[in-house]
Amino acid sequence: MAGFGFAVSLTSAWDPRSAVTPLADGAAHRGPGRTSASVARAAATALGDGASVATDESGRLIVADSRLDERAALARRLDRTTTDSDAELILAAFDRWGDDCAAELLGDFAFAIWDAPRGSMFAARDIFGTRPFFYAAIGDRLLAGSEIGQLLATGLVPRQVDDRSLIASLAGRTSSPGWTPFEAVRRLRPGHVLRADRAGVRSRRFWQPPRHATDRASGAEYALELQELVRTVVGARVRATAQPGLLLSGGLDSVSIAAVSAALRAEDPGLPLLHTYSFGYDGFPEADERSISDPLTTLLGQPNTVIPGADAFPLADFANRAPDLDGPELLHSHLLMRHAAEQAASDGVQLMMTGHRSDPLFAEGIFDYLGVLRRGGPMNVLAQARRQASRERTTTRAVLKRDLLRRAPAALWPRYRSTAARDWFRRAVPGGVALPPWVRADALVAHGLEHGAVEAVPASRLAGEARRRRHEAIAWPGHAASAEYLERLNAQAGIRYADPWSDRRLADWVLSIPPARITVEGTDKWVLREAMRGTVPDYARDSGIKAHPGSFYEHGVLTGSRSAIRELLERPRTAERGYVDAGELQRAYVRYQAQGRPRLLEWNAFWRWAMLEHWMRAHDL
């Protein structure tokens, strides 16, 4: 685990060293070791083994929570040595490339620099947001850290909640990726850099893939390229720790990490043995994936620990554990995730991996029949659509309508070209996605959220409709929010978090090739399945069945945690603040009790309400 705290006075004589101790104490679980440094008008603290601080002769100060890849090559470019800390390498990169330095770095990172010669602060965060970064500008003081709780612990940052952010979450309307649950606290968006000085705080995106893709190889050759790339990114994380762990489901994403890790260790016995952790849903066989994970770990010789789910349904720990102060977001599986992290820590695991970000790279139902039409003509489209229809047990006409005709308007009128017209149309025409019945429409109107937040997902400018969708899927703020949650949960157990799929090298590669090479004939993850041929056993590689523990979650909310939900429904604070209609919530829960789980969108919305209500009560907000 690791983290950081940073404080700077942009104009006044305030001593930022007074904030360092509360910034560290506010995230004490991130490591007993603290390394602090200060220069004129700035101070910082690095928490745990994965963070570092450095200064230079010009008065610059840096703190970084990072894991840099290709360090030797970076050190050579900077005329430095590999014995330098990450903070020293990043500071040298900043000295060489200035505000463009983040684009030259590979790995997971969040860092802040007091740029003394310019009298300003510079910060950056990796493109997937694997390392968290929150900040608050209070007058001429700026505080930053790995968790919101650190900033609040200083006593300088108000605890006033941000109604816009919370209402947007309740309504299922995408919020701005820079918002947090607190008005005074903001998030540095993934793939962005930030400058703060007398003129204010501003940020910009530093990562932009090539605008055009080139088709330079066959499908088999692309699969070989990806195979080598996956070996590189998994190896980088396995080698970064003495004891790696993995949350292992039956899906291709985590299965690939386990198999590649075993293959690398077979070639180099000095690599550590991977410990895997799977969830056991006894009594809910439709949710269980051990039919894949158990034989796989036996074959690979990896110790696998099953985390029992019987008493870990949603809200089973209602009386003793609430969502963190950082925010109300809790996964339905939060107890299982926490038990896995705690068990891993007791086993000596130092870094926990997941397969969290594979879907945006290789799946999401992003097919490119428009590209196939341009390159191969209508007969090629028809042949591929027929094969896809056969697999999906639908008609060729349905496939063409969904994946070709309905994508044509977005190809002709992309989001980045139509922002003004689209915004005008959305303001002029009421409606959109139906609200959960308990969310008050007047609350949305009051905060300008009828259609979601402005620039919630920046419009991609890449060439090709499918490539734009892939780019926007990779940059979708919800994925970064989940990564923050997983990183924080593991940090609380004393473990670092990593996701091999959250690697810029993979994102650059995926967006540099035609989308039709990623999903062939409408097969999600086709290129990844081919890349794993011979590494992942066929029964796991070709499995099209991905279990989902929906019935287990339903049991938790409707049966196991009935008393907890009923307590939350008693005079809800969310109703007192004008977010929801308490009567509609009561009626909805009665209906669920009688009829079972409703459609997925409404069910997820009810869970978001329960977590927000639980969070507000637990933290007296």
Side-chain angles (χ1 to χ4, degrees):
M1 68 291 193
F4 74 95
F6 179 88
V8 63
S9 174
L10 296 172
T11 61
S12 72
W14 172 68
D15 186 354
R17 291 176 296 181
S18 62
V20 167
T21 297
L23 283 170
D25 291 344
H29 52 270
R30 288 185 173 269
R34 302 179 183 181
T35 305
S36 300
S38 63
V39 296
R41 293 168 53 189
T45 183
L47 307 173
D49 296 333
S52 52
V53 294
T55 59
D56 67 9
E57 62 279 359
S58 68
R60 294 189 179 105
L61 166 69
I62 179 174
V63 62
D65 176 8
S66 58
R67 183 198 55 79
L68 294 181
D69 290 325
E70 300 184 11
R71 293 181 91 256
L74 178 64
R76 285 195 300 271
R77 295 175 67 194
L78 296 170
D79 298 322
R80 306 285 296 197
T81 69
T82 55
T83 58
D84 288 345
S85 68
D86 281 2
E88 290 170 325
L89 286 176
I90 295 172
L91 193 57
F94 179 71
D95 189 53
R96 175 75 59 86
W97 297 300
D99 288 12
D100 295 326
C101 66
E104 304 294 332
L105 303 176
L106 293 173
D108 309 329
F109 57 82
F111 63 84
I113 296 173
W114 170 238
D115 186 5
R118 296 173 63 176
S120 67
M121 173 247 200
F122 176 80
R125 190 178 180 199
D126 68 77
I127 73 166
F128 285 99
T130 308
R131 296 286 171 257
F133 191 110
F134 299 96
Y135 67 95
I138 309 298
D140 64 349
R141 306 171 185 180
L142 193 142
L143 306 172
S146 300
E147 298 185 12
I148 294 174
Q150 293 176 262
L151 309 185
L152 299 179
T154 65
L156 300 171
V157 180
R159 287 168 55 99
Q160 178 64 40
V161 298
D162 188 340
D163 291 325
R164 296 175 308 164
S165 176
L166 301 181
I167 293 170
S169 174
L170 281 175
R173 301 292 167 88
T174 307
S175 63
S176 167
W179 295 355
T180 76
F182 294 92
E183 280 189 356
V185 181
R186 288 294 172 261
R187 170 187 291 106
L188 178 55
R189 292 184 285 178
H192 280 66
V193 297
L194 176 147
R195 268 281 178 190
D197 52 27
R198 294 172 183 266
V201 179
R202 53 213 177 270
S203 67
R204 64 172 176 82
R205 184 167 53 185
F206 70 80
W207 176 64
Q208 184 65 45
R211 177 167 171 75
H212 295 276
T214 57
D215 198 4
R216 50 180 170 69
S218 67
E221 290 170 325
Y222 281 128
L224 287 175
E225 288 181 8
L226 179 58
Q227 179 186 79
E228 190 57 36
L229 193 51
V230 172
R231 287 168 56 88
T232 297
V233 301
V234 171
R237 287 153 181 82
V238 169
R239 292 184 176 92
T241 180
Q243 183 53 71
L246 170 69
L247 279 180
L248 178 65
S249 69
L252 180 63
D253 315 324
S254 59
V255 162
S256 296
I257 296 171
V260 169
S261 177
L264 292 172
R265 190 167 186 268
E267 298 168 7
D268 180 3
L271 288 179
L273 180 65
L274 182 70
H275 285 233
T276 62
Y277 298 85
S278 301
F279 299 155
Y281 296 100
D282 293 334
F284 298 89
E286 67 281 2
D288 212 307
E289 296 177 295
R290 283 178 288 177
S291 61
I292 292 178
S293 59
D294 282 356
L296 177 74
T297 52
T298 299
L299 175 67
L300 299 178
Q302 294 168 335
N304 184 50
T305 301
V306 176
I307 307 299
D311 298 321
F313 49 80
L315 290 178
D317 61 344
F318 174 76
N320 301 313
R321 194 184 297 275
D324 299 330
L325 181 60
D326 274 48
E329 299 85 3
L330 274 186
L331 302 178
H332 288 87
S333 57
H334 70 278
L335 256 186
L336 284 166
M337 294 277 192
R338 187 171 296 281
H339 290 172
E342 291 169 350
Q343 179 62 53
S346 69
D347 293 340
V349 168
Q350 298 173 350
L351 178 140
M352 181 68 84
M353 294 185 287
T354 70
H356 173 59
R357 294 293 262 282
S358 174
D359 283 353
L361 292 171
F362 304 108
E364 304 284 358
I366 300 175
F367 311 136
D368 189 26
Y369 279 107
L370 289 168
V372 173
L373 179 64
R374 285 193 302 271
R375 289 191 300 273
M379 297 308 295
N380 194 5
V381 169
L382 185 60
Q384 291 198 33
R386 282 174 176 165
R387 288 191 285 271
Q388 180 179 351
S390 177
R391 281 196 311 274
E392 294 182 359
R393 297 182 180 180
T394 186
T395 65
T396 303
R397 180 179 179 179
V399 169
L400 291 174
K401 180 179 179 181
R402 182 191 66 198
D403 297 324
L404 179 63
L405 296 180
R406 288 185 178 174
R407 303 314 313 172
L412 297 172
W413 194 22
R415 286 178 61 215
Y416 72 86
R417 288 180 180 170
S418 60
T419 302
R422 192 185 301 269
D423 289 348
W424 176 88
F425 183 78
R426 291 170 72 182
R427 288 192 300 269
V429 179
V433 178
L435 287 174
W438 51 82
V439 174
R440 292 182 52 169
D442 60 338
L444 288 174
V445 172
H447 293 280
L449 294 170
E450 300 96 318
H451 302 286
V454 176
E455 292 188 354
V457 181
S460 171
R461 292 178 173 270
L462 301 189
E465 187 269 341
R467 288 184 72 238
R468 288 194 292 272
R469 279 198 291 156
R470 181 76 61 194
H471 187 196
E472 291 174 3
I474 290 171
W476 185 58
H479 295 310
S482 296
E484 288 173 0
Y485 167 81
L486 292 169
E487 191 276 342
R488 189 169 66 248
L489 181 147
N490 281 282
Q492 290 168 353
I495 299 176
R496 290 283 267 173
Y497 171 72
D499 173 21
W501 305 114
S502 296
D503 193 292
R504 178 179 165 183
R505 290 166 291 189
L506 282 170
D508 285 340
W509 184 86
V510 163
L511 292 172
S512 71
I513 69 175
R517 295 295 194 178
I518 301 168
T519 56
V520 175
E521 297 174 3
T523 302
D524 268 346
K525 303 187 181 181
W526 178 89
V527 71
L528 179 58
R529 295 182 195 279
E530 290 301 305
M532 291 297 101
R533 188 180 295 277
T535 301
V536 173
D538 287 349
Y539 75 89
R541 185 182 64 85
D542 297 331
S543 175
I545 300 175
K546 182 76 168 70
H548 188 277
S551 57
F552 177 74
Y553 299 156
E554 180 178 345
H555 162 74
V557 175
L558 298 183
T559 304
S561 299
R562 185 182 305 168
S563 60
I565 295 294
R566 287 178 173 171
E567 182 177 332
L568 294 175
L569 286 168
E570 291 287 333
R571 299 182 61 185
R573 294 197 177 192
T574 46
E576 293 173 359
R577 293 189 69 91
Y579 300 170
V580 302
D581 183 308
E584 287 290 350
L585 277 167
Q586 292 275 3
R587 286 187 284 274
Y589 194 61
V590 169
R591 187 170 70 253
Y592 302 160
Q593 291 285 336
Q595 302 174 4
R597 182 169 51 144
R599 60 190 179 88
L600 183 61
L601 289 177
E602 184 175 325
W603 185 243
N604 288 340
F606 188 82
W607 176 255
R608 289 195 301 271
W609 165 79
M611 290 303 95
L612 176 57
E613 183 66 33
H614 191 16
W615 177 74
M616 296 185 77
R617 294 186 186 205
H619 299 290
D620 194 25
L621 295 167

